[in-house]
Amino acid sequence: MRHWALSAAIGAAILISSSASPAQGLVSGSYILDEERSDDVSQAIQSAVVGLSNRPFAQRLRKSAGATPGYAIRISIAAGRFSINNDAKPLIRVWTNGEPIKWKLEDGQVFDVSAKANGDAISLTLRGADSERTIVYRSDGQQLVAETIITSPLLSTPIRYKVVYNRAR
């Protein structure tokens, strides 16, 4: 499945209900990638796919937008919805109760996307036929950390990496 063209750091607006916790409110804002504090996403993916017998799956992971985190993201919280977008990727807007929506990338790939507000974190899950990517966003008010886990029966172990963003001034 070609659904890994998604950036681990997809982001531009996280919209959550007005009943969101104060910590979730910290997530709102604009952020810029901090390459020095972030993991090397390309290396994490490359290491996981070395030796995979399913070459199309390995190529999708290597070429995915997730291999290059978005440079700029903005996040906002409102009305029980989580919306996130980065750089030129299509906006994701989803309810925070875990109800999935269909989301389509510009290359035609379609994902089931859901979000959950979990205390001080927001989890975004993208599901495809042969894999799942979950990104957990947390902020201390000045930095946003996006921790990603990619799982698939085609992988021997999950792929894990962290991307750090600094609040834009």
Side-chain angles (χ1 to χ4, degrees):
M1 186 159 159
R2 302 179 330 253
H3 71 279
W4 293 113
L6 173 67
S7 170
I10 281 183
I14 297 177
L15 302 172
I16 298 176
S17 73
S18 56
S19 63
S21 74
Q24 289 170 345
L26 289 175
V27 173
S28 293
S30 297
Y31 298 90
I32 304 297
L33 178 65
D34 184 335
E35 292 181 62
E36 290 181 15
R37 297 190 60 198
S38 297
D39 293 340
D40 184 335
V41 176
S42 295
Q43 182 59 42
I45 292 171
Q46 180 62 30
S47 295
V49 300
V50 169
L52 272 184
S53 60
N54 186 321
R55 291 200 186 281
F57 178 72
Q59 288 175 328
R60 283 191 305 276
L61 285 176
R62 277 191 205 105
K63 292 180 179 180
S64 74
T68 307
Y71 176 74
I73 64 175
R74 186 181 349 151
I75 295 170
S76 62
I77 297 173
R81 292 178 67 91
F82 172 94
S83 296
I84 189 163
N85 186 313
N86 78 3
D87 299 336
K89 296 290 181 238
L91 175 71
I92 293 175
R93 184 173 296 146
V94 63
W95 296 104
T96 60
N97 64 3
E99 180 181 332
I101 62 159
K102 296 287 184 193
W103 180 70
K104 186 176 183 179
L105 281 173
E106 56 278 333
D107 69 359
Q109 296 179 64
V110 178
F111 305 87
D112 287 326
V113 179
S114 62
K116 273 290 214 191
N118 301 314
D120 67 344
I122 306 296
S123 298
L124 183 69
T125 301
L126 298 101
R127 289 179 183 91
D130 58 5
S131 57
E132 178 176 291
R133 181 179 302 222
T134 299
I135 308 164
V136 177
Y137 298 93
R138 288 185 178 82
S139 177
D140 64 6
Q142 294 305 309
Q143 289 190 324
L144 177 74
V145 177
E147 294 177 293
T148 300
I149 299 173
I150 302 171
T151 59
S152 171
L154 303 172
L155 294 169
S156 60
T157 61
I159 300 171
R160 297 174 187 269
Y161 54 86
K162 174 180 74 171
V163 178
V164 178
Y165 293 88
N166 295 315
R167 189 172 290 276
R169 308 218 183 266

